[in-house]
């Protein structure tokens, strides 16, 4: 397995429990990594290893048993890329940079990260990525030539192909996705959902071969408004959050929910807490009832599927992933932290 190679260059989620009711009322925060970088992309590779990538070319892993951190810096010629997206298969770790040139790396056979996709040009800006399985994956970028930039791999990430606009719905001028937390794309089974700055959800039920688009009621009048994060508990139940990072106290039309696989979306907790958040995640193994949302505005939790929320901490983070139904790791400005919910 090449995860050991990633650790050598310097790299795996899952905890299975019975679904049960859970009520979070507090969170304990322990910082496990500090640096001068911004980290918006984290992913569990297995129950022991959290992978991350961020600004200034940094990437690495955290051993969640020991909190031991291994890190390195990826450079391309004289360019030091900023990474906002990571993903993985059973054997490989991937990281994708923003802006031009877009640089997509995977773990290589020689103990180094291998460049497998590069794209240059005006408007190139990739935001997030995810894999359906060990062969098929997708990465999402902003609009170019009238459609979202979408690249897909069908060979385990060895090669990536950009979908032509003829295969995609037409996008609005300037429409893109927020590279805020690597969570504007979600995959369940063969399905994929993408939340955009225009408040739309692009969806495919056949691993990106055909697409449909739904306009949601989330706030989207300004370029800084829209869907920042989307998560699905199963093929039907989904939740999205966002707002406007330049008006972080606003709670108007910044949370939406679907119970039919994204065909329809409804506002929830409108004009009620929480305010702007950059990432939302369902807590695993609790019947889709418990949600946690983070942003530079703090950590909030809902124990009733998004109807009511409680601010658990004012400490700011950009993104969060759950290791099990009570432990998560969050990343943000200058740090990665372990979060224990009670």
């Amino acid at each position: 397995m090449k995860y050991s190679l990633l650790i050598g260059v310097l790299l795996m989620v899952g905890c299975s429990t019975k679904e049960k009711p859970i009520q979070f009322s507090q969170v304990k925060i322990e910082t496990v990594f500090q640096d001068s970088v911004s980290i918006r992309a984290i992913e569990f590779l297995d129950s022991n290893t959290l992978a991350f990538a961020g600004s200034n070319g940094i990437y690495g892993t955290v051993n969640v048993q020991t909190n031991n951190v291994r890190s390195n810096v990826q450079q391309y010629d004289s360019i030091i890329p900023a990474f906002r997206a990571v993903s993985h298969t059973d054997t490989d770790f991937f990281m994708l940079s923003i802006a031009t040139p877009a640089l997509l790396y995977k773990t290589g056979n020689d103990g180094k990260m291998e460049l497998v996709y590069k794209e240059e040009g005006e408007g190139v800006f990739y935001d997030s990525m995810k894999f359906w399985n060990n062969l098929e994956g997708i990465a999402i970028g902003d609009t170019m030539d009238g459609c979202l930039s979408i690249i897909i791999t069908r060979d385990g990430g060895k090669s990536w192909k950009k979908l032509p606009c003829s295969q995609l719905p037409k996008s609005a001028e300037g429409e893109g996705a927020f590279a805020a937390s690597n969570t504007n794309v979600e995959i369940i089974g063969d399905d994929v959902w993408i939340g955009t700055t225009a408040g739309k959800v692009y969806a495919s039920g056949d691993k990106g071969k055909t697409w449909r688009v739904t306009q949601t009621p989330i706030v989207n009048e300004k370029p800084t408004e829209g869907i920042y994060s989307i998560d699905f508990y199963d093929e039907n139940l989904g939740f999205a959050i966002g707002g406007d990072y330049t008006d972080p106290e606003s709670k108007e039309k910044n949370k939406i929910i679907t119970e039919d696989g994204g065909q329809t979306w409804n506002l929830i907790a409108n004009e009620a807490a929480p305010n702007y958040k950059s990432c939302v995640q369902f807590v695993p193994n609790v019947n889709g009832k418990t949600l946690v949302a983070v942003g530079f505005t703090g950590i909030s939790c809902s124990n009733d599927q998004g109807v009511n929320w409680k601010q658990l901490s004012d400490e700011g983070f950009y993104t969060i992933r759950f290791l099990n139904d009570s432990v998560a790791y969050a990343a943000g400005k200058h740090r990665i932290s372990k979060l224990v919910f009670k």
Side-chain angles (χ1 to χ4, degrees):
M1 294 180 65
K2 298 178 185 175
Y3 288 152
S4 58
L5 288 175
L6 179 56
I7 295 174
V9 181
L10 8 238
L11 180 207
M12 270 178 132
V13 102
C15 236
S16 178
T17 62
K18 292 182 178 179
E19 303 217 336
K20 56 186 178 181
I22 197 165
Q23 296 285 318
F24 290 153
S25 60
Q26 56 183 303
V27 61
K28 178 183 176 182
I29 301 171
E30 175 191 358
T31 297
V32 300
F33 176 70
Q34 287 184 298
D35 205 321
S36 60
V37 298
S38 169
I39 299 173
R40 296 181 180 268
I42 58 176
E43 199 74 33
F44 282 107
L45 305 180
D46 62 16
S47 59
N48 293 315
T49 310
L50 179 79
F52 64 89
S55 61
N56 296 338
I58 195 167
Y59 69 100
T61 60
V62 179
N63 182 315
V64 301
Q65 303 299 323
T66 65
N67 287 339
N68 184 48
V69 178
R70 296 176 182 267
S71 64
N72 205 345
V73 172
Q74 183 67 52
Q75 190 166 335
Y76 178 79
D77 292 335
S78 61
I79 297 169
I80 299 178
F83 295 107
R84 299 278 186 92
V86 299
S87 192
H88 71 96
T89 63
D90 285 348
T91 57
D92 288 298
F93 170 71
F94 299 81
M95 56 189 189
L96 175 61
S97 69
I98 56 172
T100 184
L103 304 169
L104 200 167
Y105 289 90
K106 70 180 284 291
T107 43
N109 293 316
D110 58 355
K112 297 180 180 180
M113 296 300 291
E114 173 189 354
L115 183 66
V116 291
Y117 182 81
K118 176 185 175 184
E119 184 177 344
E120 296 180 278
E122 184 179 355
V124 171
F125 198 103
Y126 281 87
D127 310 282
S128 58
M129 65 186 307
K130 198 108 178 180
F131 273 78
W132 283 282
N133 51 51
N134 285 330
L135 291 177
E136 297 166 297
I138 186 171
I140 314 303
D142 292 353
T143 288
M144 292 181 67
D145 302 320
C147 70
L148 291 182
S149 296
I150 296 180
I151 59 174
I152 289 181
T153 180
R154 309 285 186 191
D155 61 4
K158 297 176 184 176
S159 64
W160 296 75
K161 183 178 180 181
K162 191 169 186 178
L163 296 184
C165 285
S166 60
Q167 288 184 226
L168 292 166
K170 184 178 180 181
S171 58
E173 183 177 354
E175 183 177 5
F178 292 108
S181 61
N182 194 36
T183 56
N184 51 51
V185 59
E186 173 63 333
I187 281 173
I188 299 284
D190 292 346
D191 294 303
V192 60
W193 299 268
I194 302 163
T196 77
T197 59
K200 296 177 182 178
V201 173
Y202 291 70
S204 171
D206 53 13
K207 301 177 184 175
K209 296 180 178 69
T210 61
W211 294 86
R212 65 183 187 277
V213 61
T214 302
Q215 179 68 60
T216 78
I218 205 166
V219 60
N220 64 85
E221 295 175 358
K222 298 190 297 183
T224 51
E225 296 174 339
I227 297 171
Y228 278 74
S229 179
I230 188 169
D231 193 30
F232 273 73
Y233 187 77
D234 55 31
E235 66 273 12
N236 295 313
L237 178 61
F239 200 95
I241 201 165
D244 184 350
Y245 80 92
T246 67
D247 184 16
E249 296 308 311
S250 176
K251 306 176 185 70
E252 183 179 2
K253 297 194 295 184
N254 72 324
K255 300 170 287 293
I256 53 175
I257 190 170
T258 181
E259 296 180 274
D260 60 8
Q263 297 182 59
T264 58
W265 293 84
N266 297 301
L267 291 171
I268 191 168
N270 189 27
E271 299 185 357
N275 50 6
Y276 163 80
K277 302 294 180 191
S278 56
C279 182
V280 66
Q281 294 284 280
F282 282 98
V283 178
N285 308 314
V286 290
N287 293 314
K289 296 296 183 181
T290 309
L291 292 145
V292 171
V294 303
F296 64 78
T297 54
I299 304 168
S300 294
C301 173
S302 172
N303 294 307
D304 56 9
Q305 212 165 80
V307 176
N308 297 286
W309 293 78
K310 180 179 180 180
Q311 182 93 343
L312 300 184
S313 173
D314 292 332
E315 292 199 35
F317 294 95
Y318 299 141
T319 190
I320 186 172
R321 297 294 186 279
F322 275 85
L323 176 63
N324 53 45
D325 57 17
S326 61
V327 177
Y329 280 72
K333 187 177 182 180
H334 301 167
R335 64 174 172 164
I336 299 174
S337 296
K338 178 182 179 180
L339 279 57
V340 179
F341 293 87
K342 298 179 180 180

